[in-house]
């Protein structure tokens, strides 16, 4: 539900190596953007700068027209889904999804509504009372996605969410994410992967990175199926 604008964004780590140079990118509300590129090209760095987990060394990041460089992660309206789904092992699926809303002192009925809505969307309703250890890897990753959904973020960031799953689960969970995109058409999604199939099936636009630069931006057809 948000526009994002990156203007001349740079990243220099403490070791003084410039790993990101003058990134310029406009992302429209509701777009599904996939960052692809070889290992070490800066995909995670870029995602972490957008989330606020990593400081921006130069340039500006705007969300809905507001510069957010100095705004902490919790206030950016962004939710991130990581490669390894760090669920709370002693909490049920329901409580894992409810937890961040409880911390934020959201009213109980509203928490229940959001958790059940997310569970329906992700086909987790039958598992709400289970502990994470009684779920498959794919189901656990869906709970991690559910935790992001309940917060109704403006922007979803996915950092290689399927890479820890075996092949069959990867396909099934990829389809869940495609469904999520359909059922939340107003949510802006940014997704990092090095898997071309994921990029082609999920992306509205693909951003190809190479050594800290944007190499190419285009639709899946433009990037992968040129004659
Ligand atoms: P990718 O996600 O595409 O694999 P990364 O964003 O993880 O790439 O890394 C981009 C570059 O930045 C790499 O050269 C990596 O070694 C470097 N890098 C990442 N994190 C740090 C850090 N905390 N300190 C110094 N260099 C880093
Ligand atoms: P990924 O492959 O998922 O991008 P990495 O193995 O590149 O993850 O990075 C794992 C962690 O190590 C990250 O927190 C990253 O910031 C850090 N890191 C990566 N490269 C460097 C580096 N050259 N110097 C210091 N920290 C780094």
């Amino acid at each position: 539900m948000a526009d994002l604008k990156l203007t001349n964004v740079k990243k220099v780590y403490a070791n003084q190596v410039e790993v990101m140079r003058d990134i310029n990118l406009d992302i429209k509300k509701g777009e599904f953007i996939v960052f692809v590129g070889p290992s070490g090209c800066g995909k995670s760095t870029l995602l972490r700068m957008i989330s606020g987990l990593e400081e921006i060394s130069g340039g500006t990041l705007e969300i809905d027209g507001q510069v957010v460089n100095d705004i902490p992660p919790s206030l950016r309206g962004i939710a991130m889904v990581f490669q390894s789904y760090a669920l709370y092992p002693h909490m049920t699926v329901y409580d894992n999804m409810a937890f961040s809303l409880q911390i934020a002192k959201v009213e109980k009925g509203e928490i229940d509504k959001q958790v059940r809505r997310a569970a329906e969307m992700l086909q987790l309703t039958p598992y709400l009372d289970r502990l994470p250890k009684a779920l498959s890897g794919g189901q656990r990753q869906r709970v991690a996605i559910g935790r992001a959904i309940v917060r109704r973020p403006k922007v979803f960031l996915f950092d290689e969410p399927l890479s820890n799953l075996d092949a069959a689960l990867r396909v099934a969970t990829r389809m869940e994410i495609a469904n999520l995109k359909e059922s939340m058409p107003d949510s802006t999604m940014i997704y990092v992967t090095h898997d071309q199939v994921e990029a082609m099936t999920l992306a509205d636009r693909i951003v190809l990175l190479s050594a800290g630069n944007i190499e190419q931006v285009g639709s899946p057809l433009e990037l992968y199926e040129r004659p």
Side-chain angles (χ1 to χ4, degrees):
M1 291 168 269
D3 291 323
L4 268 89
K5 188 178 172 71
L6 288 81
T7 308
N8 298 328
V9 167
K10 289 189 217 317
K11 182 64 192 179
V12 182
Y13 279 112
N15 56 8
Q16 299 299 317
V17 179
E18 192 178 58
V19 297
M20 209 96 245
R21 277 176 294 280
D22 292 326
I23 297 293
N24 289 291
L25 187 62
D26 269 324
I27 298 173
K28 296 273 162 273
K29 194 176 304 218
E31 258 195 306
F32 199 115
I33 296 285
V34 178
F35 291 158
V36 296
S39 186
C41 72
K43 303 182 294 296
S44 307
T45 298
L46 198 49
L47 210 62
R48 293 204 304 267
M49 286 195 288
I50 293 171
S51 70
L53 295 176
E54 194 73 67
E55 204 182 331
I56 296 172
S57 311
T60 55
L61 168 66
E62 290 164 63
I63 300 180
D64 283 337
Q66 187 198 5
V67 176
V68 299
N69 290 42
D70 297 324
I71 306 239
S74 59
L75 300 179
R76 290 190 185 189
I78 285 178
M80 193 146 168
V81 178
F82 296 96
Q83 187 175 98
S84 50
Y85 30 81
L87 303 180
Y88 305 110
H90 59 287
M91 286 186 202
T92 63
V93 168
Y94 185 102
D95 289 336
N96 262 282
M97 292 204 277
F99 189 63
S100 72
L101 299 180
Q102 288 163 349
I103 293 287
K105 303 234 184 298
V106 175
E107 184 262 320
K108 231 176 158 179
E110 178 63 20
I111 293 178
D112 194 62
K113 191 174 129 197
Q114 293 307 332
V115 169
R116 291 186 187 281
R117 173 174 154 272
E120 264 317 292
M121 213 181 266
L122 295 163
Q123 299 177 47
L124 287 170
T125 304
Y127 310 107
L128 284 173
D129 293 328
R130 288 206 194 169
L131 291 173
K133 65 171 188 245
L135 299 176
S136 71
Q139 289 165 341
R140 282 181 214 165
Q141 188 55 291
R142 268 146 56 197
V143 177
I145 295 170
R147 283 199 308 198
I149 292 176
V150 295
R151 295 169 53 205
R152 304 176 141 264
K154 293 193 276 190
V155 181
F156 284 92
L157 306 179
F158 296 94
D159 194 359
E160 303 199 31
L162 307 185
S163 57
N164 281 348
L165 304 177
D166 66 41
L169 277 177
R170 208 176 302 146
V171 172
T173 311
R174 191 185 79 217
M175 286 159 82
E176 296 285 347
I177 293 174
N179 290 339
L180 189 67
K181 171 184 163 181
E182 297 302 318
S183 48
M184 305 180 80
D186 294 334
S187 292
T188 309
M189 304 196 179
I190 306 178
Y191 188 103
V192 165
T193 184
H194 47 242
D195 182 303
Q196 188 172 325
V197 177
E198 284 174 39
M200 288 191 64
T201 40
L202 293 170
D204 295 322
R205 279 196 300 158
I206 296 171
V207 175
L208 173 62
L209 294 164
S210 153
N213 293 297
I214 293 183
E215 195 72 25
Q216 226 180 327
V217 182
S219 69
L221 280 174
E222 286 167 338
L223 256 82
Y224 290 125
E225 295 188 13
R226 280 217 177 113

